Amino acid sequence: MDRPPPSLSQFVLKMHSRCDLACDHCYVYEHADTSWRGRPRAVTGQTLARAADRIAEHALAHGLPMVHVVLHGGEPLLAGPERIRRAAEELTRALDGISALDLRIHTNGVLLNEEFCELFAELGIKVGVSLDGDRASNDRHRRYADGRTSHPQVLRAVALLNRPGYRRLFAGLLCTIDVENDPVAVYDALVALDPPRIDFLLPHATWDVPPPRPHGSATPYADWLDVIHRRWTAAGRPVPVRIFDSVLRTLRGESSLTESLGLAPADLVVIETDGTFEQADSLKTAYDSAPATGMNLVDHSLDDVLAHPGMLARQQGLEQLSDECRACPVVSSCGGGLYAHRYRTGSGFLNPSVFCPDLMELIKNIRDREAAVPMANAPEPLDAAGLDELASGFGGAATVGRLAAAQAEINHELLAAVGERAPRGDRTAMQAWELLIDLDTGAPEALDAVLAHPYTRPWALRVLEGGPPWSAAAGLAEIAAAAALRAGRGDTVAVPVREGLLRLPGLGAVTLPVDAALAEVSADAEGFSVRAAGRHVRIDREDGVDGLTPHWQPVRVVEPAGWSVALEDTDPLRDRHQWPVAGRLSVGEAKLWAQDLAQAWALIQDELPAYAPGVSAGLRVVTPLHAPGGSDVSAASRDAFGAIGAARPETPELLALLIVHEFQHVKLGAVMDSFDLHQPVDGGRLFYAPWRPDPRPLDGLLQGTYAHIAVTDFWRVRRRSAQGAAADMAEAQFARWREQTTRAVRVLAGSGLLTPLGERFVAGMGHTAEAWETEAVSAAALDRARSAAERHRADWTARNPVHAAQFGS
């Protein structure tokens, strides 16, 4: 098939040819090309009008639906507001009725102020800002000529763009890579600024002037980016990263988002301040006048520019690459790298990129990681209606199901990150990893079920946070074995043994000799066998109850009508709930738990029907805890979605309260994994929660308030269904928690730290609490409520005298 005629749709319009910074890695002023010295400092109005007319002429001739123009420099803000306005007005005039205009400006940010932002808001100009990370990283290159830092000024610019009135203008951050900088510090600093996109750029280099490769590493840039990719993936990919998204798109056969990757023809031209046409600015790093075309706005059309040999070479895709590139297995993603980076004296641009080893390693790493545990169907994101539903304190099955799906995606990504970290020389780890890849294709439902186990994520985080290398291999093997068992396939998996215990997440545990280091687990359609240290244990599928098979401790599942929940007392990684976990329950203890859970569930269905669908959809595990002195304790873990921990309380009614209370924490933790509800809290700022005298971080107050909506609602309902003294006590509890929860909502709303989304979420909580204020409560109940609150405060103060004195309680 013939190619369509080439065209240009991206234009860099130079507004000013000088800069107010002296960045030593700049391709305009610090590399081989010196043409900037002979150009006018600022573009004229006449040149802007001619440029707009030439762009419109080309767009009309080629039927372009949209053209993309970037106002650039040097530093384009040096051109001033009136000249920038003139550029926007000329382009809008010329393209009216021909093409849509995507107009952007790229700046170092130091001059950005409200006047510019108001202008950009009026004209629809989006703003990209250059920033190389935290202050130490940014100061390595981006300084004024006298050596002063530019970092505070850029942070002020980003803060301005993040204001609600200007946020829509913020296009993203561009960061030039320096492998001497800490990648985690750079990434974390950029993400903390909440940009809509991050673009990591390889520093400009050629074969004549190759990039630094410190410490003798063959692929330092791939290694640097890989650290960020794993951190980005483990965090749930909170912000688009152009280089990673481009690799992923090209691996799927789609177009790249950047000219530095992929085989798409180049469609960009530069218009300098003197009206000359040039090829991409990056060519300035190759040799003096490398970007020059010898053409200008007055005498040449953009079709003439397209006929320039340099432009034609970049229109030929695979054909214009070197033999080595054409034979490369990742060429469709790499595309030979950025054109300028291929230059070598003598052979010109007919070479692989000087970053070839890095690009190959980066693409292969991402390809292997993505192929390992792909998500067949991305979860439907939580929409505004779902978020409002959760903000009210409730959440139906569909909404909680979306939370669960998002958590499952995080677990898949964490598994992929661990798989990449696993020691390549560990045969057990590599065999498990290969089986996981196979299971994800052949039995994805089985693998999904294991990854949904709440204690998968804590294991993965421990590994990624620097846990012992063996824990990566052990967890991978345990997950692979459990998934193979669920699938009923004839796989054999070597699984490390933890202190005499073979862990099969979500299924149970097998007790083995304490000196056993490795167990062989063989699955089949009827069950599985375990061999280790001379012991052979055979477990058939019907042996899922206690006592039928020695050494087998199955997870007990309680299934009252409408709910299925596991009593998890086997998993050695379940200790995530602040309190010590109980040991393996006896048969009698497990029976009592099952009875209480069934009764608690019946109460939730009958008296708290707004909570029941969410609990059924999202709460899959109750982990028995050990309560010192027989006290009632319960807890949830941010890292263990779908689980709560609890000591069995005296009555099923109290168990129902613990369930709805702790599941509020579970839901809110999942919400906060996907949405920022508040700004970062600097300086350890604390807030008082009405139910305890010690000040809390904003996160803790938010979690406690959300949980106490369910507590308040529980007592609100119980005062009507209980009898006698129990009803009086319930009314007093309702009065107490209603008042304290309402006060806490006000503290949150007045904190000044909520994001717009957080303000909306807290307002939803407030609407629920305020609706209860109209319900009449007796004077006696109010007195009891105040007395109970004071006793609680006094009791806490007595148990925490140092902390209480510190905060004046």
Side-chain angles (χ1 to χ4, degrees):
M1 182 180 294
D2 294 336
R3 286 195 187 95
S7 62
L8 297 164
S9 64
Q10 299 190 66
F11 306 91
V12 173
L13 183 54
K14 294 298 187 74
M15 300 298 298
H16 205 280
S17 63
R18 303 298 189 270
C19 189
D20 45 2
L21 294 183
C23 308
D24 60 17
H25 57 10
C26 179
Y27 55 80
V28 176
Y29 307 108
E30 300 294 336
H31 283 267
D33 184 84
T34 59
S35 58
W36 61 273
R37 298 180 185 276
R39 292 204 168 95
R41 287 179 176 269
V43 66
T44 66
Q46 185 179 35
T47 297
L48 289 172
R50 285 177 175 167
D53 289 337
R54 284 298 192 191
I55 292 171
E57 174 188 58
H58 188 74
L60 179 63
H62 291 271
L64 300 180
M66 177 175 284
V67 296
H68 307 269
V69 180
V70 178
L71 307 180
H72 213 286
E75 171 47 51
L77 296 186
L78 288 171
E82 290 309 312
R83 192 172 274 109
I84 292 172
R85 176 184 289 279
R86 177 72 182 273
E89 290 176 343
E90 292 288 358
L91 288 164
T92 301
R93 169 195 59 79
L95 289 165
D96 185 33
I98 297 174
S99 297
L101 172 63
D102 173 27
L103 184 57
R104 299 172 182 246
I105 192 167
H106 184 73
T107 173
N108 60 35
V110 300
L111 294 178
L112 191 68
N113 56 26
E114 289 192 15
E115 181 184 3
F116 277 120
C117 286
E118 287 295 326
L119 177 69
F120 300 156
E122 175 190 345
L123 301 174
I125 302 175
K126 294 186 177 180
V127 186
V129 178
S130 293
L131 180 65
D132 288 350
D134 59 299
R135 179 163 181 163
S137 301
N138 198 69
D139 283 356
R140 193 182 291 275
H141 301 288
R142 294 190 180 278
R143 291 178 173 271
Y144 289 93
D146 61 4
R148 287 180 296 125
T149 178
S150 65
H151 193 254
Q153 292 91 327
V154 183
L155 292 191
R156 284 197 294 271
V158 173
L160 192 59
L161 290 171
N162 270 325
R163 289 185 187 176
Y166 304 139
R167 173 69 184 185
R168 62 186 174 86
L169 307 175
F170 195 5
L173 298 174
L174 282 80
C175 171
T176 299
I177 297 167
D178 186 326
V179 293
E180 294 286 1
N181 290 331
D182 179 354
V184 171
V186 169
Y187 170 79
D188 286 352
L190 297 179
V191 170
L193 298 175
D194 192 26
R197 180 181 295 278
I198 298 173
D199 199 0
F200 291 107
L201 307 176
L202 291 167
H204 287 309
T206 67
W207 288 101
D208 290 352
V209 185
R213 296 189 179 276
H215 315 301
S217 172
T219 57
Y221 298 90
D223 299 341
W224 196 91
L225 284 166
D226 193 58
V227 171
I228 292 178
H229 184 265
R230 286 188 279 110
R231 192 169 184 84
W232 178 66
T233 299
R237 301 179 180 179
V239 58
V241 176
R242 192 186 302 270
I243 190 169
F244 299 152
D245 289 338
S246 292
V247 171
L248 293 169
R249 287 173 61 89
T250 56
L251 288 172
R252 296 192 298 262
E254 301 172 16
S255 61
S256 173
L257 301 172
T258 171
E259 65 172 330
S260 61
L261 292 169
L263 290 168
D267 64 349
L268 179 146
V269 71
V270 177
I271 303 172
E272 289 286 353
T273 55
D274 59 359
T276 56
F277 290 116
E278 288 205 339
Q279 301 175 71
D281 267 352
S282 56
L283 289 171
K284 295 179 184 293
T285 197
Y287 55 88
D288 200 12
S289 300
T293 65
M295 303 182 193
N296 62 73
L297 285 167
V298 175
D299 302 316
H300 303 91
S301 70
L302 285 164
D303 279 339
D304 293 333
V305 177
L306 273 171
H308 183 274
M311 297 295 296
L312 287 175
R314 299 174 65 206
Q315 293 286 325
Q316 296 171 6
L318 190 65
E319 298 172 15
Q320 54 94 20
L321 297 179
S322 66
D323 291 342
E324 182 178 347
C325 286
R326 289 201 298 271
C328 178
V330 300
V331 67
S332 60
S333 286
C334 172
L338 191 69
Y339 191 71
H341 295 171
R342 306 174 202 168
Y343 183 76
R344 187 198 298 266
T345 300
S347 54
F349 297 95
L350 198 62
N351 305 288
S353 167
V354 73
F355 291 101
C356 176
D358 297 279
L359 291 172
M360 177 176 287
E361 185 71 11
L362 174 67
I363 292 166
K364 288 170 64 178
N365 285 344
I366 294 176
R367 180 196 64 193
D368 293 347
R369 192 170 297 144
E370 291 295 313
V373 195
M375 286 293 289
N377 296 296
E380 184 180 358
L382 193 66
D383 57 14
L387 196 63
D388 287 345
E389 182 183 358
L390 290 164
S392 69
F394 310 121
T399 298
V400 174
R402 290 183 185 181
L403 290 180
Q407 293 289 301
E409 185 177 34
I410 292 173
N411 287 353
H412 273 264
E413 292 166 347
L414 288 171
L415 179 64
V418 172
E420 182 61 27
R421 187 186 180 111
R424 290 296 180 263
D426 188 325
R427 182 179 178 186
T428 299
M430 290 302 96
Q431 287 180 340
W433 188 235
E434 291 170 5
L435 177 56
L436 286 168
I437 294 172
D438 184 48
L439 286 164
D440 189 60
T441 302
E445 297 83 2
L447 180 56
D448 289 349
V450 178
L451 291 182
H453 187 56
Y455 302 114
T456 296
R457 186 169 174 182
W459 157 77
L461 291 174
R462 286 175 183 172
V463 173
L464 296 174
E465 290 167 359
W470 69 265
S471 65
L476 292 172
E478 290 164 350
I479 293 170
L485 296 183
R486 286 183 178 272
R489 300 184 358 158
D491 301 291
T492 298
V493 189
V495 183
V497 178
R498 302 171 185 260
E499 299 179 341
L501 200 69
L502 170 66
R503 173 181 180 254
L504 295 170
L507 298 177
V510 180
T511 58
L512 296 167
V514 292
D515 60 344
L518 200 66
E520 183 180 90
V521 182
S522 301
D524 55 46
E526 288 72 39
F528 65 101
S529 297
V530 177
R531 290 180 171 83
R535 178 174 293 174
H536 175 211
V537 179
R538 171 69 193 179
I539 297 98
D540 293 327
R541 289 196 176 274
E542 60 268 29
D543 292 349
V545 296
D546 293 315
L548 296 182
T549 304
H551 316 298
W552 171 228
Q553 299 179 354
V555 171
R556 294 133 165 163
V557 178
V558 181
E559 295 184 298
W563 188 32
S564 177
V565 62
L567 271 175
E568 179 56 88
D569 59 356
T570 67
D571 197 316
L573 303 182
R574 68 191 187 279
D575 191 9
R576 301 292 291 185
H577 298 288
Q578 303 169 31
W579 297 92
V581 297
R584 175 68 170 174
L585 301 176
S586 69
V587 174
E589 290 170 331
K591 184 177 180 180
L592 291 174
W593 263 104
Q595 291 172 347
D596 283 0
L597 282 168
Q599 293 180 51
W601 174 241
L603 185 149
I604 293 170
Q605 287 182 303
D606 293 341
E607 298 186 14
L608 298 164
Y611 298 86
V615 170
S616 177
L619 184 55
R620 297 301 186 194
V621 166
V622 171
T623 294
L625 301 180
H626 172 67
S631 57
D632 293 333
V633 299
S634 63
S637 169
R638 178 73 178 271
D639 299 335
F641 178 84
I644 66 170
R648 189 170 69 87
E650 292 181 1
T651 66
E653 290 79 8
L654 287 179
L655 181 57
L657 172 60
L658 295 181
I659 288 171
V660 294
H661 174 184
E662 297 301 343
F663 193 61
Q664 293 290 91
H665 290 300
V666 172
K667 290 187 296 184
L668 184 57
V671 168
M672 295 175 72
D673 280 344
S674 299
F675 301 97
D676 290 326
L677 300 185
H678 63 79
Q679 306 291 348
V681 182
D682 295 327
R685 186 177 171 192
L686 301 175
F687 300 83
Y688 279 95
W691 48 84
R692 55 189 298 170
D694 59 323
R696 308 284 293 150
L698 191 66
D699 254 357
L701 179 60
L702 183 57
Q703 282 278 2
T705 308
Y706 191 70
H708 283 113
I709 286 178
V711 173
T712 306
D713 206 6
F714 174 87
W715 291 116
R716 168 179 166 269
V717 172
R718 289 299 293 165
R719 70 181 176 137
R720 295 170 182 163
S721 58
Q723 302 293 323
D728 293 340
M729 185 270 289
E731 186 176 42
Q733 291 282 15
F734 168 60
R736 172 189 174 189
W737 293 114
R738 179 182 66 177
E739 191 272 340
Q740 293 187 342
T741 303
T742 302
R743 283 173 53 198
V745 169
R746 295 192 189 112
V747 173
L748 288 168
S751 68
L753 293 172
L754 298 177
T755 63
L757 197 62
E759 292 174 353
R760 177 173 176 169
F761 195 91
V762 170
M765 295 163 59
H767 293 325
T768 297
E770 289 164 8
W772 296 331
E773 297 236 333
T774 60
E775 297 190 23
V777 175
S778 69
L782 289 174
D783 288 338
R784 291 185 67 180
R786 296 188 187 102
S787 297
E790 287 300 321
R791 284 198 304 273
H792 179 82
R793 182 183 182 91
D795 180 63
W796 186 93
T797 302
R799 287 185 284 110
N800 301 273
V802 175
H803 200 164
Q806 179 183 355
F807 290 100
S809 299

